[in-house]
Amino acid sequence: MRSWNYKLLCGAVCLAQLACLSLPVWAAQNSAAFTRQTTLQQLRDDPAIKSSGYYTYCRELSGLGNEYWKNKTLEQYMRPELVDDSVAAMNLVAENTRNGVQVTWQVYSPEEIAANSSLGCVQLYYFPGKEPGGKYALVVPGNGSTMTSEMEEGGSTAYQLHEQGYTVFVLRYRTWIDMGDNAPIQDLANAVKFITAHAGQFGVQPENYALVGYSSGGQIAGIFANKERGYGSYQVERPGALLLGYPVVDLTVMKPLYHILYDIGTCGWRYYWANLCNMVDADYPPVYFWWGKNDVVLSSAEMPGQHRDFDRTLERNNIPHQMVVYQNAPHSIGTGNGTDAEGWMTDAVAFWEAHTTG
């Protein structure tokens, strides 16, 4: 029952988003600045956020969940490490919308969505850079197998990178009951293809982009960086660098469960069976990644098949890389304010710049 509740909620929200994208710009002029004390309902009722189409349902799995969360403040809804950057991101979304910027872009065409309705939820959220013509970053948030973290990991990262001058896109990709048949890899590939096709319109160069991935989003980004299984098979631009926070390297015991839940009765390669160590090839892009010793979600991080093995594999293959290990950096903290990981993105951007040109 929960999966159907989720699908109905997702479908209703997607339809509402598509309707809001057609709202005139003047409808967004009366927005107020958001703070930690803004409630979810106030955020969602704001004319600019409505008009932007930005997806703000990052915890709700049902109508009951929506009722529970809608009167909670952003401070209550978001992780403490992310709330300030995430609130700033929502203010930036509202500002861009008031300035006539289209924030939400459908990755798939109307014809593709008509043939497969789940594709309608695959979206890019656009944060224009301060100067046109530069490199862009594409954020692949974690998903926890249920829904992606567009406002928290996605929004907080977009805000910090925007403050450093970059154009940023946050990807909402298929997950939960729609993540079978390698859907997240396909969505990421088509997002890169879409950005490349509209590079002039977005004011970005298509080459040397950074993929910023968290948790399971980090695994998706890491697999996409493989030429055979990822960017090469979809004939899209190779990433210039991977910037990964607490990435899943190997799903270990979850692999059979994922197959039963999402691909039962099917054969063939599935991304969640992949260990990132086996994805590293001669064409693999430079990698900056970090994790925390107190990350209880990835408690197997010190065990074979996780981060230290990934580090050694990159070393053996002569791939430029940097691994950072923090004492205090729990899971799902994104930009990591208030933890040992605070400021990691500045170092990661320096790594990206050092290993790309243009």
Side-chain angles (χ1 to χ4, degrees), residues 232-283:
S233 66
Y234 291 95
Q235 299 182 328
V236 297
E237 288 285 341
R238 169 183 176 271
L242 302 182
L243 313 179
L244 309 178
Y246 42 91
V248 171
V249 174
D250 189 347
L251 280 170
T252 60
V253 297
M254 295 296 291
K255 296 173 183 178
L257 178 60
Y258 269 46
H259 196 87
I260 291 170
L261 288 174
Y262 306 122
D263 288 302
I264 188 67
T266 64
C267 299
W269 181 86
R270 291 296 182 266
Y271 82 93
Y272 45 76
W273 283 97
N275 183 316
L276 290 191
C277 296
N278 299 327
M279 294 292 101
V280 177
D281 57 18
D283 297 305

Side-chain angles (χ1 to χ4, degrees), residues 51 65 73 130 180-181 223 261 285 316 329 331 346:
S51 185
T73 66
K130 296 182 178 180
D181 198 24
I223 294 169
L261 288 174
R316 283 197 303 270
H331 204 71
T346 300

Side-chain angles (χ1 to χ4, degrees), residues 249 277 280 287 289 291 306-317 319 321-324:
V249 174
C277 296
V280 177
V287 184
F289 72 106
W291 52 280
Q306 289 294 332
H307 301 105
R308 295 195 186 280
D309 274 8
F310 189 43
D311 181 57
R312 286 190 285 266
T313 301
L314 292 167
E315 183 71 30
R316 283 197 303 270
N317 285 272
I319 305 300
H321 69 285
Q322 183 175 347
M323 180 181 74
V324 182

Side-chain angles (χ1 to χ4, degrees), residues 66-307:
N66 185 31
E67 285 298 312
Y68 173 80
W69 284 111
K70 70 179 184 180
N71 292 318
K72 303 294 185 184
T73 66
L74 297 180
E75 185 173 45
Q76 292 171 315
Y77 189 76
M78 297 173 178
R79 288 190 63 106
E81 301 90 351
L82 296 173
V83 61
D84 288 330
D85 285 339
S86 298
V87 169
M90 292 301 98
N91 279 309
L92 184 55
V93 167
E95 177 187 343
N96 285 333
T97 302
R98 289 192 295 268
N99 290 335
V101 174
Q102 181 176 333
V103 171
T104 301
W105 296 78
Q106 296 299 136
V107 170
Y108 294 97
S109 69
E111 294 75 19
E112 289 171 315
I113 294 171
N116 180 355
S117 61
S118 72
L119 300 179
C121 289
V122 183
Q123 298 172 323
L124 283 168
Y125 306 116
Y126 172 49
F127 295 78
K130 296 182 178 180
E131 296 292 337
K135 295 191 286 286
Y136 73 88
L138 175 55
V139 184
V140 188
N143 66 65
S145 301
T146 53
M147 55 187 62
T148 44
S149 180
E150 291 86 6
M151 275 208 303
E152 294 185 85
E153 289 174 339
S156 63
T157 302
Y159 176 73
Q160 282 207 4
L161 287 171
H162 171 269
E163 289 300 286
Q164 296 187 55
Y166 294 97
T167 292
V168 189
F169 299 88
V170 175
L171 175 64
R172 181 181 175 212
Y173 53 93
R174 283 174 291 171
T175 186
W176 194 222
I177 54 177
D178 294 319
M179 65 184 288
D181 198 24
N182 298 317
I185 304 294
Q186 177 184 334
D187 294 344
L188 175 53
N190 279 283
V192 173
K193 188 177 296 185
F194 185 88
I195 295 169
T196 300
H198 298 85
Q201 186 174 2
F202 289 133
V204 297
Q205 65 177 55
E207 306 84 12
N208 293 321
Y209 63 93
L211 284 184
V212 186
Y214 294 105
S215 189
S216 51
Q219 184 192 36
I220 292 166
I223 294 169
F224 178 77
N226 174 267
K227 186 174 183 179
E228 179 184 359
R229 295 295 188 184
Y231 70 92
S233 66
Y234 291 95
Q235 299 182 328
V236 297
E237 288 285 341
R238 169 183 176 271
L242 302 182
L243 313 179
L244 309 178
Y246 42 91
V248 171
V249 174
D250 189 347
L251 280 170
T252 60
V253 297
M254 295 296 291
K255 296 173 183 178
L257 178 60
Y258 269 46
H259 196 87
I260 291 170
L261 288 174
Y262 306 122
D263 288 302
I264 188 67
T266 64
C267 299
W269 181 86
R270 291 296 182 266
Y271 82 93
Y272 45 76
W273 283 97
N275 183 316
L276 290 191
C277 296
N278 299 327
M279 294 292 101
V280 177
D281 57 18
D283 297 305
Y284 209 73
V287 184
Y288 181 105
F289 72 106
W290 64 269
W291 52 280
K293 287 189 173 182
N294 60 342
D295 185 337
V296 297
V297 175
L298 294 179
S299 57
S300 61
E302 296 276 15
M303 297 172 61
Q306 289 294 332
H307 301 105

